[in-house]
Amino acid sequence: MELQHIELKKLKTTKLNVRKIGAKEIDDLVPSIQSLGIIQPLLVRKNCEGFEVVAGQRRFYALSKIAETGAVEPVPCIIMQEGDDAKAIEASLAENIARLPMDEIDQYKAFSALAKQGTSIEDIALQFGITDRQVKQRLALGNLYAPILSAYRKAEINAGTLRALTLATTKQQKLWWDLFKSEDQHAPQGHSLKSWLFGGANIPLENALFDVANYKGASVSDLFEDASYFDDATNFWTLQNQAIAAAKETYLANGWQEVIILDIGEYWSDWEYAKATKKDGGRIYVQIATNGEVTFHEGYLTRQETKRQKKVEAGEVVADIQKAEITKAMQNYLALHRHSAVRTDLLSHQGIALRLAVAQMIAGSSLWSVQADPQMANTDAIAQSLATNKAESVFQAERERVQNLLGLSGEEGETIVPRKTDWGKSPDLYAIVAKLMELDDASVTMILTFVVAETLPSGSALVEVLGEKLGVDMAKHWQPDQTFFDLLRDKETLNTIVKQVAGKSTADAHVASTAKVQKQIIQDGLSGKRKNGKKDWQPGYMSFPMIAYTKKGGIEAMDSRKALKKLFK
């Protein structure tokens, strides 16, 4: 036989391969091959189309899967001689039977060696094509007492017992081993072993951190072994917890930043932590076994934290992974109850409520969505006409006054309350609240009035109702301009306006004249070029309520005002 590297497209499967079930179950193989490549060559032989795979069918399917998304290097293959089908079947059978997986101890040693080199749990799992949990299970074997591992490899201990022993402390493992080797005592195994480990009824005196003389109960001695036990677990744990608390205070006083006390019986997963000095923020982890034994793991951080530190040192921006003091559910609980109490008391403080309302109208919040009127002009001419409106100049001056009161700065025409197109540029809500708290009620009321005016929607029925209610005189703010006349096109309306400005006889004389001629007559009358012209004329369109010149209808302002007439008498 010879070894060659053959292109994947020249390889085919063969019916002679003995693996019929699971040949295409390759989810575990794909990540392994992507990481390490083909470690064991495929066994192939020539056929009329190229080569057929005698042994290594799963590796072939895994490579085919990888090839769907990228190029695959030529595959290492051992080429059999052509001919005997029996030999091919024999080779396939031998390859599948001989390729047994490493036992748990071999896997532990391999994984442990990689972990010591800094390889993460996730990367080890990826390299071997297994799950993170399986890697952790193998690494847990590293906590076992060496004689126990040896006994397992000799098949003297079953797998269930071995795995249960990974949950035991070193002292418990040695005690169990003594029982196991004893000729006249029985070592618990399987389910009984877990009960023995976690029952917590037998608490040896030697596990006490406190002075046993302070224990008020009695101790029980076993006649068959050199050990004594506390007879009252409750009394023991009271004193033991006090001693643990005192030890924590001592560590903190000595400069350790944090001492984490694990729950009683919580397993210490050594592979999930990395050594760290006091200077580097290392913590003390206090492991408490159910039998009262306490282990102080000094100077550790989680491996996730050490990775984060390295990234920070390299200048990368990384998110904080610090675990919150309380859960999100607790934060929700506290938020709801605090909110309920505060808003109830707020009912008695109208002045503060006024300020909050103004601030939220200006800056917005999760429940307030207010925007300044966009003043959308259909044409540039309309926009330019609005800019010359006397009312706009007065409004801008008041806007600048409000900006100064609130400590805001803005360009001319920029609104206090952001327009929809400016969302994302809102001022800081809390800064606005703080500023309003400093102002007197009169100033806050003035700001509120401005904000309400700035957010009054143009073209709405509210404008019509308020204009009438306030007795707005448009002549103080606006005079007919060229844009107005350019937009005025109805002949019947023009003739009526000519009559109002220049008199009935002039209107009758030009009843058939063009719109251009009639507009000029009106403008001449307003400017004084025509005798008897009405210089102070204002169109009915600018009165409150609005007055139409025909019965044609279709004026939205009048229709909306009519709909609200019953509400505003």
Side-chain angles (χ1 to χ4, degrees), residues 263-514:
D263 291 336
I264 295 175
E266 185 175 347
Y267 184 53
W268 170 256
S269 305
D270 183 68
W271 60 87
E272 293 183 351
Y273 298 86
K275 290 291 292 182
T277 64
K278 185 189 300 184
K279 181 181 178 181
D280 291 335
R283 302 189 189 93
I284 306 296
Y285 287 87
V286 184
Q287 179 188 7
I288 309 170
T290 54
N291 69 347
E293 181 185 351
V294 179
T295 305
F296 294 93
H297 300 281
E298 298 182 357
Y300 282 91
L301 287 173
T302 65
R303 291 194 181 275
Q304 190 177 9
E305 287 174 318
T306 57
K307 285 184 179 179
R308 180 179 181 276
Q309 283 186 348
K310 290 179 181 178
K311 289 182 178 179
V312 171
E313 291 171 359
E316 294 184 36
V317 178
V318 293
D320 188 7
I321 58 172
Q322 182 66 35
K323 186 177 181 181
E325 180 178 334
I326 54 178
T327 64
K328 288 186 178 180
M330 171 58 85
Q331 293 184 61
N332 173 248
Y333 170 88
L334 296 174
L336 288 173
H337 283 284
R338 289 163 64 83
H339 169 264
S340 179
V342 170
R343 74 175 183 178
T344 300
D345 283 4
L346 181 62
L347 298 177
S348 303
H349 298 275
Q350 288 83 4
I352 292 177
L354 169 66
R355 287 159 173 78
L356 289 176
V358 174
Q360 291 182 103
M361 291 173 72
I362 293 173
S365 74
S366 59
L367 298 178
W368 284 68
S369 178
V370 181
Q371 58 177 298
D373 183 81
Q375 293 184 295
M376 294 294 293
N378 288 353
T379 67
D380 291 340
I382 295 175
Q384 292 172 6
S385 173
L386 180 65
T388 61
N389 188 307
K390 293 179 181 179
E392 282 297 298
S393 299
V394 173
F395 200 82
Q396 177 59 30
E398 188 69 1
R399 177 181 287 133
E400 292 173 0
R401 179 187 172 198
V402 172
Q403 287 173 332
N404 292 331
L405 283 173
L406 295 175
L408 300 174
S409 61
E411 298 177 1
E412 184 177 347
E414 185 176 355
T415 56
I416 300 294
V417 180
R419 291 189 172 103
K420 186 175 182 179
T421 54
D422 294 329
W423 281 357
K425 301 179 182 178
S426 302
D428 181 75
L429 172 63
Y430 304 104
I432 296 294
V433 172
K435 198 67 179 178
L436 290 170
M437 291 294 187
E438 299 173 1
L439 300 176
D440 57 43
D441 286 356
S443 297
V444 175
T445 302
M446 182 275 292
I447 294 172
L448 172 63
T449 303
F450 179 84
V451 167
V452 170
E454 193 173 64
T455 57
L456 180 67
S458 63
S460 69
L462 279 176
V463 173
E464 302 307 313
V465 171
L466 289 173
E468 188 175 348
K469 181 74 175 177
L470 300 174
V472 174
D473 182 1
M474 287 295 297
K476 295 179 179 180
H477 309 290
W478 172 87
Q479 294 298 324
D481 58 11
Q482 187 58 50
T483 302
F484 171 78
F485 286 109
D486 289 343
L487 296 171
L488 194 61
R489 296 171 182 174
D490 184 80
K491 289 290 295 294
E492 184 180 352
T493 298
L494 280 170
N495 195 254
T496 303
I497 294 175
V498 169
K499 184 177 180 181
Q500 291 177 343
V501 174
K504 184 177 184 301
S505 59
T506 302
D508 291 344
H510 291 279
V511 69
S513 296
T514 64

Side-chain angles (χ1 to χ4, degrees), residues 47 66 72 76 96 124 159 177 190 245 248 256 276 377 411 430 482 512 554:
N47 64 12
I66 295 170
V72 173
N96 279 283
I124 293 174
W177 178 250
K248 176 180 179 179
W256 290 95
E411 298 177 1
Y430 304 104
Q482 187 58 50

